Amino acid sequence: MKYFMGNDELFIISYYKKIINTIVIYSMIIATFMQIHGHAIEFPEKGKVPAFIVFGDSIVDPGNNNYIETVGRADFPPYGRDFPGGVATGRYSNGKIPSDFFAEELGIKEFVPPYLDPKLNINDLVTGVSFAFGAAGYDPDSAKLANVMTLQDQLNLFRGYIKKLKDAVGENTTSTIISQSVYLVCAGSNDITNTYFSLPFARLHYKNVSAYTGVMVNWASSFVQELYALGARRIGVISAPPCGCLPSQRTLHGGLFRSCVKEENEASILFNNKLFIELNSLNQKLVGSRFVYLDIYNPLLDLINNPSQSEFLQKGKVPAALVFGDSIVDPGNNNYIKTIGRADFPPYGRDFPGGVATGRFGNGKIPSDFFAEELGIKDFVPPYLDPTLNISDLLTGVSFASGAAGYDPKSAKLAVSLFERLRYNVSTYTGMMVNWASSFVQELYELGARRIGVISAPPCGCFPSQRTLHGGLFRSCVKDENEAAIIFNNKLFPELNSLNQKLAGSRFVYLDIYNPLLNLINNPSQSGTHSALFSSLQ
Ligand SMILES: *[C@@H]1O[C@H](CO)[C@@H](O)[C@H](O)[C@H]1NC(C)=O
Ligand SMILES: *[C@@H]1O[C@H](CO)[C@@H](O)[C@H](O)[C@H]1NC(C)=O
Ligand SMILES: *[C@@H]1O[C@H](CO)[C@@H](O)[C@H](O)[C@H]1NC(C)=O
Ligand SMILES: *[C@@H]1O[C@H](CO)[C@@H](O)[C@H](O)[C@H]1NC(C)=O
């Protein structure tokens, strides 16, 4: 039996570009958001991260498997076909792998080498290496099946790496490198496909997929906590991909038409829902930590379902951008209604073309403008209520957003009486908010919309107004309000995943704004960012 197939990796890599596109857009939202709230933005400071260090499976293994006894190798053609020199380095890909792209994006180096390569010199070590092994997983059994190193083995290699660094550059420099570096963990797909769904004893042992994915998340959580204990602080964890759509699984379990295997995709979603919540909770628990959930599931599934649109964000392929929401994306609708919530006077618009205060709650463009520009549609998304709009403005999209609006119909009316408030606690209120959000996007879907990005709740307790009102003498962030935002996000994320499964052809995307913002608030001096991975992990 073959436990994994190279095709899977080729397949995943070819979709990498889309994920980077998503990340770039997302960082613009954050940058703009910071402008709106009056923080200076310094763009972009490459070279702030000393090293990029990688753990996981074949998706990020640059050739460690070449140096151990395993059948799972990628050091022969067609691997490496598009790599410089056409060399099959051991990467499970025709070219670079995600870890290479990330390291390049961080301004560190072009390729992350395998730690086991005996030719590595000290410069290679201090800028980061990959400890990943093709076929590894959070489940130690996954690695054992293919005779490769488990994540625990990878941590032991990392301990040896720290020792080598200390010998070469001293204790202090080493601890700076370890604490300032960005870490990437990518595992889980082998656990679901090769271990749980291929080995009858695993299924018998764990009873059901809910129990198994729970145990996987416990392993993942212990792993990143051990990394934290060794000094790592900025740790990105890649979600499980839609495992049932991997070519090997479609061949093995997909029947005559090689369909995606529903149970395996459901397992991925179960795992991801739990991983997402667990990482949020670790961020609250472990001081100075920055755990970031990096979604690979939804972009991949979208591309699988729409291969002809394999660049979702390709310029000129999207006819229009339609925007709903609050002040973050209101380009001036509030100018046309009776409200005290307006932004049509200075200093708003200070950095807008012509210095015009258009009604945007910002000094310049707002996130929706950046989105539309990145999609190649137009420079600005106008307010729907502007009576001067012509038909071409309408055809390319407008914003229906209104400052101070929320999912709760009452937040648009501002007057939520204390009586009203007593009826709810945070848990029931966030539950209702998610119901409203869900009904809202389902109505959009019924009206024909298919690609809908939903921005998470930000760390509300850190807004200037909340710090002034409830932050005490030191204007601290208000803990309860941040916790409420997390509770809402923890419910919103699985709800969007479930809508994606339920509504044919839909693509609901959860866009995290909470973690990057909180991080920027906590580390204002490091606010220079040029990609979301960077900003989230800085
Ligand atoms: C290392 O850092 C400690 C504490 O910051 C300092 O006291 C010590 O002098 C440093 N050692 C070297 C060799 O720089
Ligand atoms: C899965 O198994 C666990 C025990 O192993 C059990 O508590 C749980 O109810 C089961 N869940 C489902 C959905 O069957
Ligand atoms: C519609 O208005 C935009 C400016 O908002 C202008 O650039 C465009 O030429 C107008 N189109 C038509 C058909 O009048
Ligand atoms: C919130 O209210 C609901 C129903 O009113 C109740 O079941 C739940 O226990 C409450 N939660 C907390 C944390 O108080």
Side-chain angles (χ1 to χ4, degrees):
M1 168 169 189
K2 206 160 186 219
Y3 290 114
F4 59 96
M5 293 187 187
N7 279 348
D8 292 5
E9 285 74 26
L10 284 171
F11 165 83
I12 285 177
I13 303 318
S14 66
Y15 293 132
Y16 165 77
K17 183 90 175 60
K18 179 190 160 68
I19 294 160
I20 278 290
N21 279 344
T22 312
I23 284 172
V24 169
I25 293 262
Y26 164 55
S27 72
M28 280 189 285
I29 302 179
I30 295 154
T32 313
F33 192 89
M34 296 311 285
Q35 284 184 348
I36 292 168
H37 286 84
H39 292 250
I41 302 287
E42 312 145 21
F43 272 95
E45 271 220 67
K46 289 207 180 198
K48 276 223 174 163
V49 177
F52 186 57
I53 295 169
V54 182
F55 300 88
D57 59 22
S58 61
I59 298 175
V60 289
D61 174 5
N64 281 313
N65 275 8
N66 296 350
Y67 302 100
I68 58 173
E69 299 248 333
T70 174
V71 289
R73 290 228 185 148
D75 54 353
F76 51 87
Y79 293 115
R81 207 179 46 208
D82 306 318
F83 201 80
V87 193
T89 54
R91 283 169 173 78
Y92 291 80
S93 166
N94 52 323
K96 293 170 114 183
I97 53 177
S99 42
D100 298 323
F101 286 109
F102 277 128
E104 198 180 2
E105 186 72 8
L106 289 165
I108 296 175
K109 53 186 173 186
E110 274 196 85
F111 306 101
V112 183
Y115 179 64
L116 292 191
D117 181 347
K119 295 190 299 292
L120 294 191
N121 61 34
I122 186 64
N123 284 333
D124 295 321
L125 293 182
V126 296
T127 51
V129 291
S130 174
F131 298 95
F133 289 82
Y138 292 117
D139 184 341
D141 283 345
S142 300
K144 286 174 196 152
L145 279 174
N147 201 25
V148 301
M149 296 214 183
T150 64
L151 279 173
Q152 277 306 320
D153 297 329
Q154 297 182 27
L155 269 186
N156 285 335
L157 291 176
F158 179 57
R159 291 189 178 93
Y161 166 84
I162 294 176
K163 189 168 177 314
K164 281 187 192 168
L165 283 193
K166 282 182 179 164
D167 292 345
V169 299
E171 292 259 350
N172 287 7
T173 308
T174 299
S175 59
T176 306
I177 293 173
I178 297 302
S179 65
Q180 299 289 308
S181 290
V182 168
Y183 296 78
L184 186 70
V185 182
C186 177
S189 54
N190 295 312
D191 302 331
I192 291 171
T193 59
N194 300 342
T195 305
Y196 188 79
F197 280 99
S198 299
L199 301 179
F201 75 75
R203 257 169 301 170
L204 282 176
H205 179 72
Y206 292 105
K207 305 276 193 302
N208 58 44
V209 74
S210 168
Y212 184 68
T213 51
V215 177
M216 278 173 68
V217 169
N218 289 346
W219 278 316
S221 179
S222 311
F223 178 79
V224 295
Q225 288 187 64
E226 285 188 62
L227 262 185
Y228 175 88
L230 289 169
R233 289 296 175 268
R234 306 158 173 190
I235 303 170
V237 184
I238 295 190
S239 77
C243 289
C245 297
L246 297 177
S248 59
Q249 301 312 301
R250 294 164 79 152
T251 304
L252 287 171
H253 311 292
L256 212 54
F257 300 104
R258 298 189 70 243
S259 325
C260 291
V261 187
K262 196 158 162 276
E263 295 78 16
E264 298 190 21
N265 280 357
E266 281 169 3
S268 295
I269 290 176
L270 273 179
F271 171 75
N272 290 342
N273 285 346
K274 291 173 188 171
L275 177 68
F276 176 86
I277 291 169
E278 179 63 17
L279 294 179
N280 280 346
S281 126
L282 290 179
N283 273 327
Q284 292 178 277
K285 208 165 70 182
L286 302 177
V287 178
S289 66
R290 175 60 44 233
F291 294 101
V292 178
Y293 174 92
L294 298 166
D295 182 31
I296 202 177
Y297 184 98
N298 289 300
L300 281 180
L301 192 66
D302 190 33
L303 288 165
I304 293 160
N305 291 337
N306 307 292
S308 64
Q309 297 172 339
S310 63
E311 291 288 336
F312 169 55
L313 296 170
Q314 210 172 51
K315 289 202 187 218
K317 285 241 169 137
V318 180
L322 298 167
V323 181
F324 300 85
D326 59 18
S327 63
I328 298 177
V329 288
D330 175 3
N333 282 312
N334 275 10
N335 298 350
Y336 303 100
I337 55 176
K338 280 208 179 194
T339 172
I340 49 163
R342 290 228 186 147
D344 54 352
F345 50 87
Y348 292 115
R350 207 179 48 208
D351 307 319
F352 200 79
V356 193
T358 54
R360 284 170 173 78
F361 291 79
N363 53 323
K365 292 173 112 181
I366 53 177
S368 42
D369 299 323
F370 285 111
F371 258 117
E373 193 182 2
E374 184 66 14
L375 291 166
I377 298 172
K378 53 185 171 188
D379 281 343
F380 307 100
V381 182
Y384 177 66
L385 294 186
D386 180 348
T388 66
L389 292 189
N390 61 35
I391 187 68
S392 69
D393 293 326
L394 295 179
L395 283 175
T396 50
V398 291
S399 173
F400 300 94
S402 170
Y407 288 118
D408 181 348
K410 286 188 212 68
S411 40
K413 291 187 196 130
L414 258 181
V416 184
S417 66
L418 186 64
F419 179 71
E420 282 287 348
R421 291 187 55 158
L422 288 178
R423 282 176 48 202
Y424 307 112
N425 57 35
V426 168
S427 168
T428 53
Y429 189 71
T430 52
M432 278 195 334
M433 278 169 68
V434 170
N435 289 344
W436 284 316
S438 178
S439 313
F440 180 79
V441 296
Q442 287 184 65
E443 284 184 58
L444 269 182
Y445 175 89
E446 274 157 31
L447 291 167
R450 289 299 175 267
R451 304 162 181 193
I452 303 169
V454 183
I455 296 184
S456 77
C460 303
C462 297
F463 282 173
S465 59
Q466 299 312 301
R467 294 164 81 154
T468 305
L469 285 172
H470 313 292
L473 211 55
F474 300 105
R475 299 188 71 242
S476 326
C477 291
V478 187
K479 195 157 164 277
D480 294 352
E481 296 189 20
N482 281 356
E483 277 169 8
I486 290 177
I487 292 171
F488 171 74
N489 291 341
N490 282 347
K491 290 176 184 169
L492 177 66
F493 180 84
E495 178 62 18
L496 294 179
N497 282 344
S498 121
L499 290 179
N500 273 327
Q501 291 178 278
K502 210 165 69 181
L503 303 176
S506 67
R507 175 61 42 236
F508 296 100
V509 179
Y510 174 93
L511 299 166
D512 180 34
I513 202 172
Y514 184 98
N515 289 300
L517 280 182
L518 190 66
N519 190 44
L520 286 167
I521 290 159
N522 291 338
N523 306 290
S525 65
Q526 297 174 339
S527 64
T529 64
H530 71 293
S531 81
L533 176 80
F534 202 45
S535 67
S536 308
L537 293 172
Q538 238 197 357

